[in-house]
């Protein structure tokens, strides 16, 4: 294998369409996923992409490796574990981690790679599966600005690049974004449930919210496309969002900033993920809160005066 290929690890809901865009743009990929099924499915559609025998072999074949995996611990294990990618990467190679991962853990991963002369950028994404397919993701890139500029033509196949600062800042930004996203979805769900119980029509409520100050991505996108139609198929697992809230909390604790609402929000999503299972779609939080309402109302006096 020639060493000018891009290693791409993680062919899940986000990774597969992102790798597809890179392959379609003419980049030569060496792909890997621990799921044989996902690897096979991707390679069936992209016979020009190679698969490596193991992770060090992928490292040896590439100067640039992109990871988009469930969390930062998995990223660290894939890169730096025994028989990880770093065992094959040459000095002056670069890793771009596009997963949503711990900002603090990421600094440690970057430092350990730096000991081997390997560069690191954290470049997590927002926009969900649809924007991964369209190549319109928001990419939050932390790390050396010159290095980010060098890989800009690759990243711009996937979306719009925003520089966030030093290594780890992309992951911090992403987790804080997802805190706001999770808070708005859970609070919109509570508002819709209260309105519906009061006799309002949920579809009409969404229409009014979207013409009013309560609108958000949750009311403009998630309610019409995944919740009101009961499709619950956004492609973003609730376990991943619960993880993002833990990571946002980690950032707030490290910074020593207020986190009262963040703690409540993280707890709601943690419990929802526990009840529904990590693989449930995150939009199913609506069903979870609906079931909570039924439980609550049993013991309620109904005196709202
Ligand atoms: P996913 O679960 O669909 O995909 C993860 C992939 O990683 C799977 O194919 C899995 O087999 C693979 N994997 C897990 N452990 C591995 C290992 N040790 N070695 C190799 N492959 C391994 O998740 P996703 O929705 O694609 O999300 C990926 C990342 O992107 C997560 O960090 C998530 O938080 C983030 N993200 C997801 C969305 C979304 O809408 N789905 C949006 C923005 C960011």
């Amino acid at each position: 294998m020639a060493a000018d290929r891009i290693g791409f690890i993680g062919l899940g809901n986000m990774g597969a369409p992102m790798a597809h865009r890179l392959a379609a743009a003419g980049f030569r990929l060496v792909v890997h996923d621990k799921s044989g099924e996902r690897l096979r499915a991707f390679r069936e559609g992209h016979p020009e992409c190679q698969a490596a025998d193991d992770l060090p072999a992928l490292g040896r074949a590439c100067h640039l490796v992109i990871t988009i995996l469930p969390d930062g611990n998995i990223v660290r294990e894939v890169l730096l574990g025994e028989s990880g990618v770093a065992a094959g990467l040459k000095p002056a190679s670069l890793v771009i981690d596009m997963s949503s991962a711990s900002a603090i853990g990421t600094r440690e991963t970057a430092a350990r790679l730096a000991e081997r002369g390997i560069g690191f950028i954290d470049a997590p994404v927002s926009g969900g599966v649809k924007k991964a397919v369209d190549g319109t993701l928001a990419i939050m890139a932390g790390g050396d600005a010159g290095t980010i500029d060098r890989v800009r033509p690759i990243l711009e196949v996937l979306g719009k690049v925003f520089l966030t600062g030093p290594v780890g800042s992309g992951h911090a930004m992403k987790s804080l974004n997802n805190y706001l996203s999770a808070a708005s979805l859970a609070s919109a769900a509570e508002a819709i449930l209260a309105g519906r119980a009061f006799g309002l029509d949920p579809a009409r409520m969404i229409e009014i919210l979207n013409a009013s100050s309560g609108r958000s991505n949750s009311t403009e996108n998630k309610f019409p496309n995944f919740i009101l139609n009961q499709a619950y198929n956004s492609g973003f697992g609730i376990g991943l969002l619960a993880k993002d809230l833990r990571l946002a909390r980690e950032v707030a604790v490290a910074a020593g900033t207020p986190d009262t609402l963040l703690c409540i929000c993280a707890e709601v999503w943690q419990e929802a993920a526990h009840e529904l299972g990590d693989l449930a779609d995150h939009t199913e939080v609506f069903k979870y809160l609906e079931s909570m309402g039924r439980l609550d109302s049993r013991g309620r006096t109904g005196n709202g005066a």
Side-chain angles (χ1 to χ4, degrees), residues 138-164:
I139 302 173
M140 309 165 203
D144 176 70
T147 309
I148 295 169
D149 261 348
R150 269 202 292 119
V151 293
R152 197 176 270 277
I154 297 167
L155 295 176
E156 284 182 345
V157 171
L158 306 174
K160 181 169 179 186
V161 179
F162 297 87
L163 299 193
T164 52

Side-chain angles (χ1 to χ4, degrees), residues 62-199:
C62 307
H63 279 124
L64 172 65
V65 175
I66 294 175
T67 47
I68 176 140
L69 293 164
D71 64 42
N73 292 330
I74 295 176
V75 171
R76 193 172 313 125
E77 184 59 29
V78 161
L79 295 174
L80 289 156
E82 206 182 321
S83 305
V85 179
L89 280 174
K90 291 165 206 64
S93 303
L94 178 68
V95 173
I96 306 177
D97 180 29
M98 304 194 81
S99 324
S100 304
S102 158
I104 291 152
T106 280
R107 288 190 198 146
E108 187 193 317
T109 301
R112 285 180 56 194
L113 288 170
E115 286 166 11
R116 297 167 180 247
I118 300 166
F120 183 94
I121 290 169
D122 47 317
V125 298
S126 181
V129 173
K130 183 173 182 307
K131 292 194 173 191
V133 171
D134 296 346
T136 54
L137 292 164
I139 302 173
M140 309 165 203
D144 176 70
T147 309
I148 295 169
D149 261 348
R150 269 202 292 119
V151 293
R152 197 176 270 277
I154 297 167
L155 295 176
E156 284 182 345
V157 171
L158 306 174
K160 181 169 179 186
V161 179
F162 297 87
L163 299 193
T164 52
V167 164
S169 60
H171 282 149
M173 180 65 225
K174 167 65 184 169
S175 65
L176 295 170
N177 173 76
N178 277 26
Y179 161 42
L180 295 187
S181 172
S184 87
L185 181 53
S187 54
E190 287 186 354
I192 297 293
L193 287 166
R196 189 181 70 180
F198 202 75

